[in-house]
Amino acid sequence: EDQVTQSPEALRLQEGESSSLNCSYTVSGLRGLFWYRQDPGKGPEFLFTLYSAGEEKEKERLKATLTKKESFLHITAPKPEDSATYLCAVHSMDSNYQLIWGAGTKLIIKP
Amino acid sequence: DAGVIQSPRHEVTEMGQEVTLRCKPISGHDYLFWYRQTMMRGLELLIYFNNNVPIDDSGMPEDRFSAKMPNASFSTLKIQPSEPRDSAVYFCASSPPEGISGNTIYFGEGSWLTVV
């Protein structure tokens, strides 16, 4: 069964304290892995798409990486405005448009 | 572009009442999705349309839920009769013709539904 698991559920960091969020997935074949950011009271906002193992994408303080079993979202020297819930979703070869979503990691950056 | 527009943003209704949620997708996007988000189950795809035609409604929880897309710029999600367990945030999203393999899904800000 296709599955996506995110860890940790919540992460509290001090401003400037770098860390990583994990997204582990099990799918029969990967078409793509997506990272989204969701602020309270808002819809998810697209961050990155990764297609194959070894691929990396960067945007400001965020870098997403992908292996055959998991993806990491690395946050370097985070700021309070990076506080949000980060969602991971996987598009498998078995589905047309059904993304499999993780439960998310709630990130809190304290000043 | 204004993005995906949803209304109402907040709705509080009594059990048994009909609820209609509305969505205007991004112009030029061929795909439209209705999602539901709860703390317990996260994001769930309810139904999606391609060129105004419903393609997959296997996520619609019960016959009380129905969705329509009469034209390329408007869609509705209706719950009749509503129940307290329908309380959730309902998101509409749209995607360009290239699809999510080459692009992304753009979400609206959601409709927060509370059924009392």
Side-chain angles (χ1 to χ4, degrees):
Chain A
E1 180 184 351
D2 294 342
Q3 197 169 4
V4 175
T5 304
Q6 291 189 247
S7 61
E9 289 186 10
L11 181 62
R12 293 176 181 266
L13 300 171
Q14 288 294 136
E15 183 173 1
E17 181 184 0
S18 301
S19 188
S20 298
L21 313 181
N22 178 264
C23 172
S24 298
Y25 64 91
T26 305
V27 293
S28 54
L30 182 69
R31 287 197 197 189
L33 183 143
F34 300 79
W35 281 99
Y36 282 81
R37 168 189 171 131
Q38 186 173 22
D39 292 302
K42 303 284 188 180
E45 180 182 349
F46 170 75
L47 291 173
F48 304 109
T49 306
L50 301 166
Y51 293 108
S52 56
E55 189 175 359
E56 297 183 354
K57 294 276 180 72
E58 283 190 69
K59 181 179 180 180
E60 296 181 355
R61 295 176 292 280
L62 299 176
K63 183 169 81 172
T65 62
L66 181 65
T67 72
K68 289 186 178 180
K69 294 183 179 181
E70 58 192 348
S71 176
F72 290 95
L73 185 65
H74 305 278
I75 302 174
T76 302
K79 298 181 178 181
E81 54 261 42
D82 295 322
S83 297
T85 295
Y86 290 85
L87 297 168
C88 170
V90 165
H91 185 202
S92 81
M93 294 290 187
D94 288 341
S95 71
N96 291 327
Y97 260 85
Q98 178 72 276
L99 295 183
I100 304 160
W101 291 84
T105 293
K106 184 175 183 178
L107 177 66
I108 299 170
I109 308 298
K110 296 179 288 185
Chain B
D1 201 313
V4 177
I5 299 172
Q6 292 186 244
S7 65
R9 289 296 319 278
H10 299 272
E11 174 99 4
V12 180
T13 190
E14 291 185 348
M15 183 175 62
Q17 296 297 305
E18 178 179 292
V19 174
T20 299
L21 308 179
R22 298 172 178 81
C23 175
K24 176 179 169 55
I26 294 173
S27 177
H29 282 193
D30 287 0
Y31 291 88
L32 183 139
F33 309 84
W34 281 102
Y35 280 90
R36 178 171 67 177
Q37 188 176 40
T38 61
M39 290 293 292
M40 291 295 295
R41 300 175 68 90
L43 265 171
E44 303 173 277
L45 178 65
L46 301 177
I47 185 171
Y48 80 90
F49 296 82
N50 181 20
N51 291 319
N52 313 337
V53 176
I55 304 300
D56 185 351
D57 65 354
S58 60
M60 297 285 263
E62 298 171 33
D63 291 344
R64 298 183 296 106
F65 286 70
S66 63
K68 294 182 179 179
M69 191 165 186
N71 57 62
S73 59
F74 183 67
S75 177
T76 60
L77 178 68
K78 187 173 293 187
I79 308 172
Q80 166 64 19
S82 59
E83 297 182 4
R85 60 193 167 120
D86 301 331
S87 297
V89 185
Y90 291 83
F91 287 104
C92 177
S94 68
S95 180
E98 301 89 279
I100 61 172
S101 292
N103 278 279
T104 63
I105 299 174
Y106 295 83
F107 286 80
E109 296 202 325
S111 292
W112 295 68
L113 174 65
T114 302
V115 183
V116 297

